[in-house]
Amino acid sequence: MTPQELKAYCLDQNGAVEDFPFPGAPELSTFKVGGKIFAFCALDEEPLRVALKCDPDEAIRLRAAHAAIAPGYHLNKRHWNTVTVDGTLPDRMVRELIEDSYDLVVAGLPKAERLRLDRA
């Protein structure tokens, strides 16, 4: 998966937007839904890495099973994983991890916001 493909897939999620909210890290893309971040990524970084929200139990399982998945760097390690996108994980799996992160964030949004996203 290329940086452009990763960005496009994040933005393909319903209601997703890209933002650059950190003045100290202007290269850090954040992908948000309902104003909440579901993915962080420096798209020009090599190797490409993306931080994604994850169910805590699933996060532990994924880290144990895949060397390319580590605790979230500078994030709550219980709820965030950093995924290295270097070809060792199938693109399909990376897409599923992005979807899972998005879904977790959407589930935490107010009901009115969730309903708005379902209608689009």
Side-chain angles (χ1 to χ4, degrees):
M1 177 176 284
T2 68
Q4 295 77 19
E5 290 169 335
L6 187 140
K7 176 180 176 173
Y9 196 74
C10 286
L11 291 173
D12 278 347
Q13 306 309 303
N14 194 14
V17 296
E18 182 179 22
D19 192 14
F20 301 90
F22 304 111
E27 73 287 350
L28 185 64
S29 292
T30 61
F31 298 94
K32 298 180 177 182
V33 60
K36 303 291 183 183
I37 298 171
F38 68 91
F40 291 93
C41 185
L43 294 167
D44 58 352
E45 184 179 68
E46 287 193 30
L48 179 63
R49 289 187 291 255
V50 60
L52 300 167
K53 250 188 124 116
C54 192
D55 171 79
D57 294 330
E58 182 71 1
I60 292 167
R61 188 191 68 72
L62 287 166
R63 293 173 199 161
H66 304 282
I69 301 177
Y73 183 68
H74 285 302
L75 297 164
N76 182 327
K77 289 162 182 27
R78 181 168 155 75
H79 295 279
W80 289 86
N81 279 337
T82 297
V83 178
T84 301
V85 185
D86 60 1
T88 58
L89 297 174
D91 286 356
R92 179 179 177 181
M93 182 178 186
V94 175
R95 288 191 299 270
E96 288 171 356
L97 293 170
I98 291 168
E99 289 172 13
D100 290 347
S101 181
Y102 171 87
D103 290 343
L104 281 169
V105 171
V106 168
L109 294 175
K111 184 176 181 179
E113 182 72 12
R114 290 192 315 266
L115 291 173
R116 187 188 67 73
L117 290 168
D118 283 343
R119 283 196 209 117

